[in-house]
Amino acid sequence: MNSNLVSIIVPIYNVEKYLRKCVDSLLKQSYSNIEILLIDDGSTDNSGRISDEYSNYNNVRVYHKENGGLSDARNFGIEHSKGEFLAFVDSDDYVTEDYILRMLDKIQKTDVDIVACSYYDISEDGQILGKIQSTDRILNEKNFWDDIYINIKATPAYGVAWNKLYKRNVFENLRYRKGILNEDDDIIYDVIHGRNMFMMDDLLYYYRQRQGSIMDQMKKTFNIERIELIYRRLEKFKKNEQWEYVSYVLIEIAAIIINGLAISSNDEERRQCYSQLNKLKRVKNHIKRMQLKIPIKLRLKSYLYFEFPRFSSLIKKIKINFL
């Protein structure tokens, strides 16, 4: 294996309880030609001081910046990195000792642009809750979106940033959009567009499910931001004439709205949900005139979501409470 430099970018914000576990796992990597960029994004706890404890390591660089959010910290890391390959690791997670070695070996042997590993879900105290495991296969752009929208084979491992190794040129003209919570969903179309990704069955990453985390917040609140970014994805599908996904994206947006109705806690949130549903109906009617072929299952979901939103949200609420 060629000894290519790999840059590991670690955005940090108020994770003093977990940070040492994360960084120590990176320092133990069996592949040695790495640089670890610790980006303290204006932490108000001891995370900045803990980061500085690692500044004496010759392959660690520590940066302190004003708080700008996860996207801004990742962009900062990209711009200050020197590696031919890039990886992002969330600062409350950790990885196996051969995390970089095995992904780098796969990306060089297959000559894909991106490699994504499988991962363990762990609790706040580090107990393994389960595993998200893919099968070894190469995905082109069409395979990727087919798995997400048509075959329903995709796992969360497809779209997140932190379980992947990227060739540097993926981010040559691409950056995370600042000031949003759904940065991975927002950027994934441009990341995969015109590229190939290898999905690995190797479990190399430990993803911590934490109360109060960004992901936790998004599950518990009506997420208008996510609706808007999926509209952006819809426009990209239309622009690039990927018509086979358009009806699926409409149903995805409707499902988010129905979920919002199910978890809404006040009249204002419900008003926002119905406002978004009415907007989506107008978009749906416009696209309907294109006479796209829509599978029967999608037609049924569309009918339920648009004609009986209260009933659909009640069913969703029962499912949420049951689970």
Side-chain angles (χ1 to χ4, degrees):
M1 183 188 302
N2 293 329
S3 187
N4 301 103
L5 178 64
V6 177
S7 299
I8 307 173
I9 297 165
V10 186
I12 297 165
Y13 183 73
N14 288 359
V15 286
E16 60 183 1
K17 184 177 178 181
Y18 311 107
L19 184 54
R20 287 191 178 91
K21 178 81 171 177
C22 174
V23 181
D24 288 347
S25 75
L26 299 177
L27 290 170
K28 293 176 182 176
Q29 289 301 294
S30 54
Y31 184 79
S32 60
N33 194 19
I34 62 173
E35 61 169 8
I36 302 168
L37 287 76
L38 304 182
I39 317 298
D40 172 30
D41 190 40
S43 295
T44 56
D45 66 356
N46 288 316
S47 297
R49 182 184 60 76
I50 294 170
S51 298
D52 287 335
E53 293 174 6
Y54 293 94
S55 60
N56 290 329
Y57 287 86
N58 58 15
N59 62 345
V60 176
R61 283 184 282 143
V62 179
Y63 297 91
H64 301 278
K65 59 182 285 298
E66 290 185 3
N67 180 254
L70 179 57
S71 293
D72 192 49
R74 283 181 181 165
N75 291 342
F76 186 96
I78 293 168
E79 288 154 14
H80 288 78
S81 64
K82 301 175 182 177
E84 297 153 86
F85 296 89
L86 302 178
F88 302 99
V89 174
D90 284 359
S91 50
D92 50 355
D93 302 336
Y94 61 97
V95 299
T96 62
E97 292 185 9
D98 53 356
Y99 170 70
I100 294 297
L101 179 69
R102 290 167 76 174
M103 289 208 295
L104 184 60
D105 180 63
K106 191 65 69 176
I107 205 170
Q108 291 179 333
K109 286 180 176 177
T110 59
D111 196 32
V112 294
D113 305 287
I114 308 158
V115 167
C117 69
S118 299
Y119 65 93
Y120 292 101
D121 276 325
I122 62 173
S123 64
E124 288 194 67
D125 61 0
Q127 299 297 311
I128 293 178
L129 302 174
K131 59 185 179 182
I132 304 297
Q133 193 161 19
S134 305
T135 54
D136 277 356
R137 60 188 293 235
I138 293 178
L139 302 174
N140 60 25
E141 182 181 4
K142 179 170 172 48
N143 300 147
F144 181 91
W145 293 118
D146 280 356
D147 277 6
I148 287 178
Y149 286 119
I150 299 174
N151 303 324
I152 320 297
K153 288 183 178 180
T155 69
Y158 277 52
V160 295
W162 37 257
N163 67 329
K164 295 177 175 64
L165 184 69
Y166 307 83
K167 287 183 177 177
R168 185 177 189 87
N169 60 18
V170 171
F171 288 95
E172 185 175 357
N173 297 304
L174 188 61
R175 293 292 184 270
Y176 288 92
R177 193 152 58 101
K178 299 177 184 178
I180 62 174
L181 294 178
N182 301 268
E183 63 287 322
D184 291 344
D185 270 344
D186 182 64
I187 203 173
I188 190 60
Y189 184 94
D190 297 313
V191 166
I192 199 66
H193 185 53
R195 298 187 174 96
N196 294 326
M197 179 167 72
F198 192 96
M199 300 297 299
M200 297 176 68
D201 65 359
D202 305 67
L203 293 151
L204 305 177
Y205 194 100
Y206 293 83
Y207 170 70
R208 197 180 304 272
Q209 297 197 12
R210 193 160 55 91
Q211 291 286 330
S213 67
I214 292 174
M215 290 292 287
D216 184 58
Q217 292 173 39
M218 290 192 295
K219 290 176 183 176
K220 295 178 179 178
T221 57
F222 176 50
N223 198 341
I224 291 180
E225 177 190 284
R226 185 155 186 262
I227 292 174
E228 294 303 326
L229 71 87
I230 294 177
Y231 272 124
R232 286 162 58 93
R233 183 184 299 170
L234 175 65
E235 291 305 313
K236 290 174 182 179
F237 280 137
K238 289 163 62 179
K239 178 181 177 182
N240 291 296
E241 299 185 351
Q242 295 167 294
W243 302 110
E244 63 268 38
Y245 307 118
V246 167
S247 55
Y248 289 91
V249 175
L250 291 175
I251 296 301
E252 181 182 14
I253 296 171
I256 295 171
I257 295 170
I258 295 301
N259 186 71
L261 281 171
I263 64 175
S264 60
S265 58
N266 56 63
D267 289 342
E268 175 58 24
E269 287 183 357
R270 284 186 280 274
R271 186 196 65 77
Q272 289 181 354
C273 289
Y274 282 112
S275 175
Q276 288 292 327
L277 193 62
N278 288 331
K279 174 184 175 182
L280 186 60
K281 283 182 180 178
R282 293 191 294 271
V283 175
K284 171 178 169 283
N285 291 335
H286 172 70
I287 291 176
K288 187 177 181 180
R289 292 195 291 270
M290 298 178 185
Q291 297 183 334
L292 302 178
K293 291 183 179 179
I294 302 176
I296 293 175
K297 186 176 180 180
L298 280 194
R299 290 179 185 274
L300 178 59
K301 279 189 176 182
S302 176
Y303 180 73
L304 288 173
Y305 287 166
F306 288 106
E307 301 303 325
F308 302 100
R310 289 185 180 179
F311 173 76
S312 299
S313 65
L314 177 61
I315 297 300
K316 181 66 177 179
K317 190 170 187 176
I318 292 171
K319 286 183 179 180
I320 292 172
N321 291 336
F322 179 75
L323 295 174

